[in-house]
Amino acid sequence: MDEVVKAFNTMVRNGCLPSVVSYNILINGYCKNRKIDEAISLFREMSTKGLFPNVVTYSTLIGGFCRVGRPKIALKLLHEMQGCGQPPNIRTCAILLDRLCKNLHFTEAMALFKEMEDKKLDLDIVIYSILIDGMCNAGRLMTASELFNALPTKGFQPDVCTYTIMIKGLCKEGLLNEARELLEKMEEHGCSPNHFTYNTIIQGFLQHNETSWAVKYLKMMVDKGLSTNATTAAILIDLITTNRADKSLQDFFLKAL
């Protein structure tokens, strides 16, 4: 960044006036290095130079504020952007929506989502998955389920990521039967579970001491050539080494050896 700033200042001293593109490059560099105060200073400087920020400028800053955990300021920038006649793109909104959810600003997240729908932005399954994941993580399973169940009416079908998110949410709340049913429904609808899906449901059942079902899904996963991840392996090893594993789990490991 020091070299970039030197080049920028040299350009100015030599009478070569920076353009919006020049400012965007420098602002992006500051944002990537989490130097948001320097980025916003350049942003404000642009107007004194008679330059108007474009969608790239605003999107870069919004991403920068999200990166440093300040999504509410990013949301204000989004509204400022719209007020200046710069319509946000779907990627910018996705970044902001994700960060609002992760910072537990759910009222703002839902308001942004509603605004995106009202403005008829080109929403996709990724946007819905971000919101569903945020609601599940916050324990707002009813809201997550409503969003998930409404997908077909919006013209979308859940993908493997969306199904896995909902399965995780159900397991987290101890709704294991519902998690099993959703896994079956997923396969019935032609969406094959991947190793993330199996690891998610196995962890859920193990954490609720339902080892027989966990073993069933372990066998399914192994038969499909998929493997456990580090979290699943750690839970399994802990159960075995502390003698808390039931016979079905012990037998599975003996056969695996």
Side-chain angles (χ1 to χ4, degrees), residues 88 114 125 136 173 219 238 240:
K114 183 68 167 58
I125 193 63
C136 284
E173 297 299 319
K219 290 176 180 176
D238 180 61
I240 295 294

Side-chain angles (χ1 to χ4, degrees), residues 106 109-110 130-141 143-144 147:
F106 297 110
M110 288 301 294
I130 288 171
L131 196 56
I132 291 168
D133 186 45
M135 295 303 158
C136 284
N137 289 334
R140 300 188 177 196
L141 192 62
T143 302
L147 286 165

Side-chain angles (χ1 to χ4, degrees), residues 32-180:
K32 284 186 175 178
N33 285 277
R34 304 175 73 86
K35 294 184 177 181
I36 196 66
D37 290 333
E38 289 88 339
I40 200 69
S41 178
L42 275 177
F43 174 74
R44 298 307 179 196
E45 180 184 306
M46 290 175 69
S47 61
T48 67
K49 303 292 186 182
L51 298 173
F52 296 98
N54 59 19
V55 65
V56 175
T57 320
Y58 278 107
S59 296
T60 301
L61 270 178
I62 287 168
F65 275 107
C66 286
R67 186 176 285 112
V68 297
R70 296 161 73 182
K72 283 199 171 184
I73 296 179
L75 188 58
K76 288 180 181 178
L77 271 174
L78 181 74
H79 293 147
E80 180 182 321
M81 174 183 184
Q82 292 171 314
C84 292
Q86 297 286 351
N89 58 40
I90 194 69
R91 182 177 177 275
T92 305
C93 291
I95 292 170
L96 181 51
L97 186 65
D98 179 63
R99 191 51 54 182
L100 286 169
C101 287
K102 286 179 178 174
N103 282 269
L104 309 182
H105 299 308
F106 297 110
T107 301
E108 292 85 352
M110 288 301 294
L112 175 58
F113 177 73
K114 183 68 167 58
E115 184 179 336
M116 291 164 70
E117 284 192 315
D118 291 344
K119 291 184 180 298
K120 301 190 184 305
L121 293 184
D122 191 16
L123 302 184
D124 56 21
I125 193 63
V126 173
I127 295 293
Y128 284 93
S129 295
I130 288 171
L131 196 56
I132 291 168
D133 186 45
M135 295 303 158
C136 284
N137 289 334
R140 300 188 177 196
L141 192 62
M142 183 175 294
T143 302
S145 296
E146 289 172 355
L147 286 165
F148 182 85
N149 293 330
L151 285 173
T153 66
K154 304 288 185 180
F156 298 106
Q157 287 300 323
D159 60 12
V160 64
C161 178
T162 321
Y163 273 113
T164 302
I165 287 168
M166 272 307 305
I167 288 170
K168 182 179 180 181
L170 291 166
C171 287
K172 180 181 176 182
E173 297 299 319
L175 300 173
L176 303 182
N177 288 335
E178 288 83 350
R180 285 194 297 105

